[in-house]
Amino acid sequence: MRLGLVLSEVGQGLRRNLSMVVSVVLVTFISLTFVGAAMLLQMQITEMKSYWFDRAQVAVYLCTEFATIGGCEQQAATPEQIAQVEAQLQSATLAPFIDTYYFETQEEAYANFQDQFAGTAAAELVSPEFLPPAFWVDLVDVDQSQILVDALGGLAGVESIEDERAYLDGVFDVLNASSITAVGIAALMLVAAVLLIATTIRLSAFSRRRELGIMRLVGASNRFIQTPFILEGVVAALIGSALAGVAIIAIVEFFVQGYLTQALPLTSLVGLDEALLVAPVLLIAGALLAAVSANVAITRYLRV
């Protein structure tokens, strides 16, 4: 097979169908950008789960004068009751499951609340007596929070026991839904890209039907005839895939690392390492998608 002749045919085909080629590039770019965003989002979810779940604590909230649930009857936990809870945390039964713990008074809880919600209406409405004192417990195994619930739930002075991971699950459910949405949009766009590539190849073949007829008459093989058309689709898809890879890297560099890391300083976010892993995957996926769809399109056209 003469490489120069094949490349010449590819160039002619791209020039003749320039508008369709641009359409393939744009559709491939948009669809693979969504694919890359979904991949990065899944990496982010995995990284956040590992980061936050390992740091999730169990809060043992004690009674206040306003509490009516648990073992509370609108009476604040007494020093004796607080000491009893701490004794249980230090007991031979619970100590093996606990890494560290600390006690947070109402004043400390209020100071932390003011730091977290500074400048909001809630910060002005809340006073220290509304916030319960609590023991914050780091477990050796974060999946064993039920042990604390069973051991401390019935003690006098304990209002409730809450695992922070329950709040994180809702956040991750939203992120997972966003990821699924991105995948769904990407799938629709990929279907559009496949159809557009197939249409482009068929139009290119139709515009050169006389040349193809002559090539068949002189004994050219199907492989020789098909190769330029397949390469046309691959070239257009590669350009779109490369643009998608650049877009993913730019999003991570300028938005995630440039903005979100400052807005969310306590959160572990994906970086350029993850983006550089995703970009080659998009390039390969775009090339394979184009090669398969173009090959099917030209094969069916030649059989007609």
Side-chain angles (χ1 to χ4, degrees):
M1 184 182 300
R2 294 176 57 185
L3 181 60
L5 180 58
V6 170
L7 295 178
S8 175
E9 290 292 325
V10 171
Q12 291 181 18
L14 294 174
R15 286 193 298 270
R16 290 176 179 177
N17 300 283
L18 184 60
S19 60
M20 293 295 289
V21 170
V22 172
S23 300
V24 171
V25 170
L26 292 177
V27 172
T28 305
F29 162 61
I30 295 172
S31 59
L32 290 181
T33 299
F34 274 106
V35 171
M39 292 173 65
L40 284 178
L41 191 53
Q42 280 300 318
M43 291 180 181
Q44 181 63 61
I45 292 171
T46 302
E47 191 165 340
M48 287 179 68
K49 280 185 176 180
S50 176
Y51 182 85
W52 286 112
F53 274 17
D54 288 345
R55 290 162 175 77
Q57 295 176 305
V58 177
V60 182
Y61 291 111
L62 304 178
C63 296
T64 66
E65 296 178 355
F66 305 96
T68 58
I69 61 174
C72 308
E73 296 181 357
Q74 291 186 328
Q75 293 181 353
T78 64
E80 291 76 15
Q81 291 172 338
I82 296 174
Q84 184 182 9
V85 173
E86 186 168 14
Q88 284 292 322
L89 293 175
Q90 295 174 348
S91 67
T93 302
L94 294 182
F97 302 98
I98 296 174
D99 185 13
T100 59
Y101 75 89
Y102 65 91
F103 180 68
E104 182 182 62
T105 65
Q106 287 180 295
E107 290 72 21
E108 291 171 338
Y110 177 74
N112 291 332
F113 186 89
Q114 292 296 320
D115 288 340
Q116 294 178 7
F117 297 95
T120 65
E124 299 177 0
L125 295 174
V126 172
S127 58
E129 59 268 19
F130 289 105
L131 299 175
F135 285 97
W136 290 92
V137 183
D138 291 309
L139 295 173
V140 175
D141 184 351
V142 294
D143 293 323
Q144 295 179 326
S145 59
Q146 187 60 37
I147 294 175
L148 287 183
V149 176
D150 296 337
L152 305 177
L155 294 180
V158 175
E159 178 184 359
S160 63
I161 301 172
E162 297 184 9
D163 189 345
E164 285 186 331
R165 293 186 305 163
Y167 302 105
L168 296 175
D169 286 338
V171 175
F172 291 126
D173 287 343
V174 173
L175 292 175
N176 280 319
S178 301
S179 178
I180 293 172
T181 301
V183 170
I185 295 174
L188 291 176
M189 295 300 295
L190 287 175
V191 171
V194 168
L195 296 176
L196 192 56
I197 291 171
T199 302
T200 301
I201 297 305
R202 287 176 178 272
L203 288 175
S204 181
F206 182 78
S207 66
R208 286 181 277 176
R209 58 190 181 278
R210 291 184 180 179
E211 299 173 22
L212 296 180
I214 295 172
M215 293 173 69
R216 283 178 167 180
L217 290 176
V218 298
S221 65
N222 283 337
R223 181 183 176 187
F224 181 82
I225 296 173
Q226 292 171 355
T227 299
F229 295 100
I230 295 173
L231 289 179
E232 288 177 25
V234 170
V235 168
L238 279 177
I239 296 173
S241 304
L243 291 175
V246 171
I248 290 298
I249 293 173
I251 290 172
V252 171
E253 175 67 18
F254 298 107
F255 178 68
V256 177
Q257 294 298 317
Y259 170 73
L260 288 183
T261 51
Q262 297 179 5
L264 304 171
L266 299 179
T267 303
S268 177
L269 300 173
V270 293
L272 281 178
D273 290 341
E274 288 80 5
L276 292 175
L277 286 176
V278 171
V281 174
L282 299 181
L283 203 63
I284 295 171
L288 290 176
L289 181 74
V292 172
S293 57
N295 184 53
V296 172
I298 189 60
T299 300
R300 288 183 177 179
Y301 179 84
L302 293 177
R303 287 176 182 174
V304 177

